[in-house]
Amino acid sequence: MEKFDVLEEICDPGLESLRISSMDHDQSSPTLNSTHSGNSNSFAYCRTNSETTSVFSEQLTDDFTSSSSDRNSPVCWPATGRSPYQPTLSRFGGIRHNHRQDLKPADFELEMMKERFSKLLLGEDMSGSGKGVSTAVTISNAITNLYVSMFGQHQRLEPLYMDKKMMWKREMTCLLSVCDYIVEQIPPMQHLQNGASMETMFSRLRSDIDINLPALIKLDALLIEILESFQETEFWYDEQGSISGKSLNGSFRKVPQPHRNEEKWWLPVPCVPSGGLSEAAKKHLRQKRDSANQIHKAAMAINSNLLSDMEIPRTYTASLPKSGRASVGDTIYRYMTSTTKFSPDYLLDLLNITSEHEALEIADRVEAAMFTWRQKASLNHPKTSWDIVKEHMEGDKNVVLAEKAHVLLFSLKQRFPELAQTTLDTSKIQYNKDVGQAILESYSRVLEGLAFNIVGWIEDVLFVDKSMRNKEEC
C-alpha cells in the first residue's frame, strides 16, 4: 500500500485526468476504441475545378458538408488534412477527441491557425519526414482548395451564404498576409541638412506584389458584389430540370444551346416566367455580364503575365523535341512556312477543333514547338532575354516560326477561354519556389474561374429568356 501511496503523490495530474476521462469514455462508447490510422498523403497540382473538394479549409457548418467528396464528381483533391471531428492520438498513446464545436470562437480561431501553420511548415506532408512540397506550392494549393470549398457547389446567380463569405474573406486575408513580408531593398538618395547626400537602404513591397495584389483584391470584391446583386430575382432554378426534363423549361437538351456542355447534366437549370423577364431585369443581367466579362479578362491577363515571368523548369526544356516540326505536325508546319501573310484564325478554322481535349493537345504541341525554335535561335545568346534575341536576329527562320507559334497559341486561348492550363504552365506552378508568385498566380486563377462561371450563368438565364419568348411567338 505504501508503494501505491508514493505513486499517487508523484503521478502527473494530467495523466490522471487523461486516464479518468478515457475510462469514462470507454464506458460510454466502447466501440470507438479502434485503432486510428491517418490519411495517406498524395499530392498533385490541379487546375481550379469546381467539382473538387477542399483540403486546406475544414467545413465548419452543416452547409459546408455539401462540398464533401461523397456528393461530388469523382475528380477530388487528396485528403491530406485531419478532420477536426476524428479522434487523434495524444502524446501518451491514448485517443483524444477534438470537440471543436464546443470551443469558444477565439479558441476555435487559434486551433485553425495552428493547423494552417502546421500544414505550411510540413509542406502538406503529415508524416513529418520532410518529403513535402515547397512552401510556394503549399500556399498555391491552399488558395485553390479554399476556392473550391467556398465556390465549388455555388452554381447559380445568388449571394454566397454569410458563413462561407466570412470564411472566404478571413482565410484569404490570412493567406495574403504573407505578401506583407515579401519586400525588396532599394537605396534611395537622402539629402542631409549640411548639403551632403547619402544612400540608405529602404524596404518596400516587391514590385509585382505592389502592383498586382491590390488589383486582385479589388476584382475579388467586385465579383462578390455581383453575386450579392442577385438577392431578389425574377428567375429561379429547377434542381431536377436538367435530370428529369419534366419542368416547363426542362433541360437545355430540348433546344439548341451553345452555353452548356451536354455532359454537365447535374447543373441547375434557370427558369423564367411565362412572359419572360422584364426589361429592367434583362438590363441588370447584361450590365453584370459585361462587368464579369471585364473582370475575367483582367484576371486572365494578370495570370498570363505572372506565368510568363515564372522560370521554365529544366524538366520541361529537357523534354522538348529536337525539331519544332515534329511537335506541331506537318499540317501546321506547312501552313506556317508556305504563307507570307500568317492568319492564325484561318489556321484554326482549317484544323476544325471539335473538343476541349483536342484544343489543349494542340496548345501543348504549339507551345513546345515555340520554345524549341526559341532555343535554336538563342544558341549564340544563351543568357540573353528573348526580346533582345528577337531584335538582333530579326528575319531568322527560327525567330519567325517562334513568333508565329506565339500568335497561334494566343489566338487558340482566345477562342477557347475555358481551356485548361498547358503542360508548361502546370510545370511552372509545380516547380515554382517563389512564394509571392505562387500567391498571385493562384489568386488570379481562381478569380478568373469565378468570373468565367458568372458570365456563363448569366448567359444561361438570358438564353432561357430568349427561348421562352421565341416559343410564345411561335
Side-chain angles (χ1 to χ4, degrees), residues 197-229:
S197 300
M198 61 180 299
E199 290 184 354
T200 56
M201 299 303 295
F202 178 74
S203 298
R204 68 176 183 185
L205 283 179
R206 209 171 66 184
S207 57
D208 58 338
I209 296 176
D210 192 27
I211 295 174
N212 294 315
L213 186 57
L216 292 174
I217 294 176
K218 180 63 175 179
L219 296 180
D220 186 356
L222 291 175
L223 289 175
I224 299 297
E225 183 181 344
I226 290 177
L227 291 177
E228 292 291 332
S229 66

Side-chain angles (χ1 to χ4, degrees), residues 98-150:
N98 294 329
H99 302 285
R100 288 194 175 185
Q101 59 271 28
D102 298 333
L103 294 176
K104 297 179 180 180
D107 296 334
F108 185 81
E109 293 291 335
L110 181 60
E111 290 297 320
M112 291 290 292
M113 288 295 297
K114 288 180 181 179
E115 184 174 356
R116 183 182 296 111
F117 185 66
S118 300
K119 288 182 179 181
L120 292 178
L121 287 182
L122 292 172
E124 298 180 350
D125 178 19
M126 300 306 141
S127 67
S129 59
K131 298 180 181 179
V133 296
S134 64
T135 305
V137 177
T138 304
I139 294 183
S140 178
N141 289 343
I143 294 176
T144 303
N145 294 332
L146 177 62
Y147 167 79
V148 171
S149 179
M150 298 298 103

Side-chain angles (χ1 to χ4, degrees), residues 154-404:
H154 194 89
Q155 300 168 348
R156 58 184 67 191
L157 291 173
E158 64 180 13
L160 272 178
Y161 292 120
M162 182 58 65
D163 47 5
K164 283 193 174 185
K165 183 171 67 173
M166 296 303 296
M167 183 178 230
W168 168 256
K169 292 182 178 181
R170 182 174 64 250
E171 295 206 12
M172 280 305 302
T173 300
C174 181
L175 291 170
L176 296 179
S177 64
V178 179
C179 294
D180 295 339
Y181 302 93
I182 301 178
V183 297
E184 59 184 359
Q185 302 291 333
I186 58 173
M189 295 294 298
Q190 288 192 357
H191 301 281
L192 303 179
Q193 294 181 355
N194 57 4
S197 300
M198 61 180 299
E199 290 184 354
T200 56
M201 299 303 295
F202 178 74
S203 298
R204 68 176 183 185
L205 283 179
R206 209 171 66 184
S207 57
D208 58 338
I209 296 176
D210 192 27
I211 295 174
N212 294 315
L213 186 57
L216 292 174
I217 294 176
K218 180 63 175 179
L219 296 180
D220 186 356
L222 291 175
L223 289 175
I224 299 297
E225 183 181 344
I226 290 177
L227 291 177
E228 292 291 332
S229 66
F230 291 100
Q231 292 184 2
E232 298 181 0
T233 60
E234 297 180 5
F235 57 89
W236 65 95
Y237 287 90
D238 182 7
E239 288 289 352
Q240 301 297 327
S242 56
I243 300 178
S244 62
K246 296 180 180 179
S247 63
L248 177 63
N249 298 314
S251 170
F252 278 159
R253 295 190 184 95
K254 294 184 178 180
V255 289
Q257 52 87 22
H259 303 303
R260 175 172 296 177
N261 297 329
E262 288 293 329
E263 63 270 16
K264 295 185 178 181
W265 49 265
W266 62 88
L267 295 178
V269 176
C271 304
V272 298
S274 57
L277 299 175
S278 64
E279 290 299 326
K282 290 191 290 185
K283 181 179 179 181
H284 177 258
L285 285 169
R286 294 191 187 101
Q287 290 177 348
K288 297 305 178 182
R289 180 191 59 186
D290 295 340
S291 299
N293 194 30
Q294 293 298 323
I295 295 174
H296 173 258
K297 291 181 179 179
M300 185 169 60
I302 294 175
N303 187 262
S304 299
N305 292 333
L306 291 169
L307 286 173
S308 62
D309 292 338
M310 286 186 181
E311 183 179 356
I312 301 177
R314 293 184 179 180
T315 55
Y316 180 82
T317 55
S319 64
L320 290 177
K322 296 182 180 180
S323 171
R325 180 174 184 174
S327 179
V328 296
D330 293 336
T331 303
I332 298 179
Y333 183 80
R334 281 198 300 266
Y335 180 80
M336 294 176 69
T337 55
S338 61
T339 57
T340 56
K341 188 176 181 181
F342 179 70
S343 174
D345 294 329
Y346 175 80
L347 179 57
L348 292 177
D349 294 337
L350 184 65
L351 294 175
N352 191 22
I353 302 173
T354 58
S355 64
E356 182 180 346
H357 176 75
E358 184 181 356
L360 183 60
E361 182 183 0
I362 293 176
D364 283 334
R365 288 161 47 192
V366 172
E367 196 168 45
M370 179 182 69
F371 280 97
T372 300
W373 288 320
R374 285 187 178 185
Q375 279 188 339
K376 290 184 177 180
S378 304
L379 288 177
N380 298 329
H381 311 277
K383 296 183 179 181
T384 309
S385 65
W386 172 246
D387 293 333
I388 299 178
V389 172
K390 181 175 60 176
E391 182 179 352
H392 286 289
M393 300 185 63
E394 186 177 0
D396 183 79
K397 180 181 178 180
N398 292 317
V399 174
V400 174
L401 291 175
E403 286 303 297
K404 288 183 178 180

